[in-house]
Amino acid sequence: MKPIIIGIFLVAFSLAAGAAVVGEPVEYRYGGTLMKGYLAYDDAVMDKRPGILVVHEWWGHNEYARNRAKQLAGMGYTALAVDMYGDGKLANHPKDAGKFAGEVKKNMSVATERFKAAMSLLQNHKSVASEDISAIGYCFGGGIVLEMARRGLDLDLVGSFHGSLPAVKPAEKGVVKAEVLVFNGADDPFVKQEHIDAFMAEMAHANVKHSFTNYPGAKHSFTNPDADKFGKQFELPLAYDQQADQQSWAALSKALNSIYK
């Protein structure tokens, strides 16, 4: 099912000299569920360019996901921060976040169709080269983009940042089209060594081009500057790590450049 665009509202701002990054809150549907995303691109560039999907943390589609979309737009991509929960639903407490994420994960067929709806919206945008699509995700979103790769969606690259590794549907030989990058905090208590071992064995068995990077001392949510605040507020092992954040983003940028040149 193709997404239906309900409304677009434009707000322009400049990230750098010569750049005119445009932010568009977008609404689309899968089935009876309204999805509220955010599209960012540089409208000073006339050529069509690759599109990148950005999947939010378990808190939901928030400003952090939008900021990553803007960052990608400033690098010359068109980026869509997607809504996997529906209606732009946000959690203010880990109990709600866990509930929202769990509802998605227990029905991955619906999650896949929601992702495909966002992907279709991105592919059909005027600025996007429809055959050049990749996806990145954070925490919950990192696990989601890995699952989309496992299901054989036509993605060039997926990047998971402090995401969950256990497979709902393990990768099979000849199915995964994407190159897979995983950026993990070595001190993340939510990612066990057995998860890492199983993931690496899964990727090798399925002959998937992949890389796994562990950042010493980095905890869960290491790319999010608000992680320290959330960690303190809810007594969770979350912490921002500037070095790991910058290094993982540089590695993603390099990989995207290598694919799309």
Side-chain angles (χ1 to χ4, degrees), residues 52-55 68 72 134-138 141 145 157 159 161 249 252:
I52 314 293
L53 296 150
V54 181
V55 187
R68 287 299 185 182
L72 286 162
S134 290
I136 66 172
Y138 295 86
V145 298
L157 177 146
F161 296 81
W249 191 259
L252 172 73

Side-chain angles (χ1 to χ4, degrees), residues 15-111:
L15 288 184
V21 171
V22 173
E24 301 176 356
V26 292
E27 297 181 349
Y28 57 102
R29 291 185 182 273
Y30 169 69
T33 302
L34 179 70
M35 320 301 289
K36 295 183 178 180
Y38 185 85
L39 192 79
Y41 63 100
D42 183 349
D43 70 352
V45 177
M46 301 305 295
D47 294 338
K48 291 193 174 185
R49 71 217 69 170
I52 314 293
L53 296 150
V54 181
V55 187
H56 53 77
E57 297 178 286
W58 71 339
W59 304 110
H61 176 111
N62 57 14
E63 193 62 25
Y64 178 64
R66 293 184 176 210
N67 286 338
R68 287 299 185 182
K70 296 172 191 174
Q71 192 174 3
L72 286 162
M75 294 162 56
Y77 302 102
T78 292
L80 174 63
V82 308
D83 174 13
M84 292 299 297
Y85 293 164
D87 200 32
K89 190 162 53 178
L90 288 170
N92 294 315
H93 191 280
K95 288 184 179 179
D96 293 326
K99 178 183 176 182
F100 295 162
E103 288 173 351
V104 172
K105 289 183 176 180
K106 73 182 180 183
N107 196 337
M108 285 304 300
S109 61
V110 171

Side-chain angles (χ1 to χ4, degrees), residues 50 52 71-72 74-77 132 134 156-157 179 181 209 249-261:
I52 314 293
Q71 192 174 3
L72 286 162
M75 294 162 56
Y77 302 102
D132 297 334
S134 290
D156 299 317
L157 177 146
E179 178 181 351
L181 277 63
K209 183 179 181 181
W249 191 259
L252 172 73
S253 301
K254 183 178 180 181
L256 289 171
N257 287 337
S258 177
I259 290 174
Y260 297 125
K261 301 189 186 304

